[in-house]
Structures are given as C-alpha cells and as structure tokens.
Amino acid sequence: MSKFLVKSKQTRKGNWLEDKPNVKSRKLNLSCYTLRTFSLKTSTIFYFSIIFILTGLLTSCEKTYLPKPEGYNRIDLPTHSYQSLKEDHPYWFEYSEHAKIRKDSSWIAEPHWIDIYYPEFQANVQLTYKPIKGSQQVFKELTEDAYRLTSKHQIKAYSIDDQILKTPSGKTAIVSELSGEVPSQFQFYVSDSVKHFFRGALYFRTATKNDSLAPVIEYLKEDIVHLLNTLEWKEEKRRMND
C-alpha cells in the first residue's frame, strides 16, 4: 500500500487514468481524501454547533437575571375630614383631623409659627406669620423672601408652577407647585398687604422619592387648599362671631 501511495504522489502531475496499475491506489487515496474532508466538515459543523449552543445559553442567562424594576408599597389614604384651629393666633383656619398642631421648635421660630404634622405620612406643613404693621417696605421684603424661598429649589425642580387662588372670603393666595425630586412640593402665601403675611410650605421627613409619594402629595394639596379657603384673620373671625 505504501508503494502505491508513493507512486501516486510521483505521478500526480500526469493523467492518472492512463496509468492502469495505479488506478486502485489512486481510488484508495481519493477515498482517504474524501474521508479526511468529511471528517473536517463534521468537525467544523460540531465546532460551530457548540459555539451556537454556548451563545444561546449565555444570552438566555442574561435575560433570566435582568434586575426587576423597583416596586413601591401601596398607600391607603384616609377620607378628608377637618377640624377648627383652637390655638390663639392672629389667624384661623380648618385643618385635617388626621394631623396635629405643633409649635415650631427651630431656633428662628417666632410666636405664631406652627407646624401641621401628619404622623401617618411623616409630613409637615410649616406655617409662618409676620405682621406688616402698615409698612409697604415690610410687605415688599416679605413677598420677595417668599419668592426667594421657592426659587431656591430650581436646581432640583423640573418645573415651578405659580397660580393665584381666590378664597371664598376674598383673599388672594399665591400658590406654587414644584415638580421633581425637591424637598418641598407645595408652597403658598396670603397677605392683605397691610397687617398680615401668612406663608406655608409642605415638607416630608422621609427619603422616599416623590414619584412614589405622588398620591400623598395630591392628598395633602387638597388639605392645604381647604386650609386656604377657610383662612380668616383674627379680627375678621371676631366680627363674624359678634
């Protein structure tokens, strides 16, 4: 067999069909070549099949272990119900029965500064009051200060929407709604420009994102609007009771 193989190599350049004694050897050699070719093709197909299977497994693993989106707890909101402010202040209003009145404990607090605290939501509506005493300069400064305190949230706020609210008693309230990851989502002030300047701001004592607090924020906004619609100055309330 080795003789045939050697001879076939030597006569490869010629017409091998003319060399009768070598036909069998060349057929044998061709069969070996065919087997080698078949073996190479089989190995190639097997190799690519393994790559395809591994690629599919890796892709399926990536899909299986994708992180799940963050979920938020459901918030059950109580029915709106209100009570009268009993403390002695230059103003009066109705506030939620689900809230408590607390005295402002900050070092800059003044006598008639209070918080409406919602323990269920860890939220505060901070209320401040300033007497104007007929000074237009004081009124201008307080108005500019209220605007500045709202504008300082512009860095994080997506938008600040200012609106004018007319109350049933004829008062004008300037209301600011803030969107985005801001610490205060709702602010307002009311003044008669002569005697009283009343300002408020909603804050949460939690790191929860505002998008998950959206139902609570809307709920508290409704309470604040009710507060504004029932707001009376002390002398007005006295006249109403006489």
Side-chain angles (χ1 to χ4, degrees):
M1 180 175 178
S2 59
K3 181 179 179 180
F4 289 146
L5 291 175
V6 170
K7 189 173 182 180
S8 66
K9 288 181 181 178
Q10 292 175 347
T11 60
R12 184 177 295 271
K13 294 181 181 180
N15 188 349
W16 63 277
L17 290 174
E18 294 177 357
D19 192 358
K20 301 295 183 178
N22 293 329
V23 170
K24 184 176 181 181
S25 66
R26 290 188 180 280
K27 287 184 178 179
L28 179 62
N29 191 34
L30 181 61
S31 298
C32 293
Y33 174 76
T34 303
L35 287 174
R36 286 197 300 271
T37 304
F38 176 76
S39 176
L40 178 61
K41 288 182 179 180
T42 303
S43 300
T44 303
I45 293 171
F46 179 76
Y47 174 74
F48 282 108
S49 298
I50 293 296
I51 293 177
F52 179 78
I53 292 171
L54 290 176
T55 303
L57 289 174
L58 290 174
T59 304
S60 63
C61 288
E62 289 178 1
K63 290 181 180 179
T64 302
Y65 293 101
L66 284 175
K68 295 181 179 179
E70 184 178 3
Y72 301 106
N73 295 328
R74 178 180 175 180
I75 302 175
D76 295 322
L77 301 173
T79 304
H80 292 283
S81 55
Y82 302 100
Q83 59 186 324
S84 298
L85 180 66
K86 297 178 176 63
E87 287 78 9
D88 187 19
H89 296 290
Y91 48 81
W92 176 92
F93 54 77
E94 291 182 356
Y95 67 99
S96 175
E97 290 185 346
H98 307 290
K100 300 178 180 179
I101 297 295
R102 291 184 172 181
K103 186 177 180 179
D104 190 332
S105 59
S106 63
W107 66 273
I108 60 171
E110 297 185 15
H112 300 294
W113 292 18
I114 61 174
D115 292 346
I116 303 176
Y117 176 58
Y118 290 78
E120 183 177 354
F121 306 130
Q122 299 186 50
N124 267 344
V125 180
Q126 298 179 358
L127 302 175
T128 59
Y129 172 84
K130 287 276 193 178
I132 298 176
K133 299 179 181 179
S135 173
Q136 288 302 303
Q137 181 62 30
V138 172
F139 172 68
K140 180 181 178 182
E141 291 174 356
L142 292 174
T143 303
E144 291 175 350
D145 189 51
Y147 178 79
R148 179 183 57 81
L149 290 172
T150 302
S151 298
K152 74 177 183 179
H153 299 293
Q154 284 181 339
I155 297 175
K156 293 185 176 182
Y158 300 149
S159 65
I160 299 178
D161 184 19
D162 295 321
Q163 300 179 28
I164 298 175
L165 172 66
K166 288 287 186 180
T167 72
S169 62
K171 296 178 180 60
T172 300
I174 307 300
V175 177
S176 300
E177 296 188 63
L178 297 86
S179 302
E181 293 304 317
V182 290
S184 179
Q185 302 81 13
F186 199 75
Q187 300 190 8
F188 62 89
Y189 71 86
V190 184
S191 178
D192 61 1
S193 74
V194 178
K195 293 182 179 180
H196 310 283
F197 194 94
F198 183 75
R199 183 181 179 276
L202 171 63
Y203 288 92
F204 284 88
R205 299 180 179 182
T206 176
T208 306
K209 293 183 178 180
N210 286 348
D211 55 355
S212 63
L213 289 173
V216 180
I217 294 172
E218 293 302 316
Y219 176 89
L220 297 180
K221 283 180 182 179
E222 188 171 336
D223 280 358
I224 294 173
V225 170
H226 182 84
L227 181 156
L228 292 172
N229 282 330
T230 58
L231 177 65
E232 300 287 352
W233 308 126
K234 187 175 182 179
E235 62 273 15
E236 293 176 341
K237 186 67 175 174
R238 190 182 295 114
R239 285 197 301 267
M240 292 173 60
N241 293 334
D242 291 342

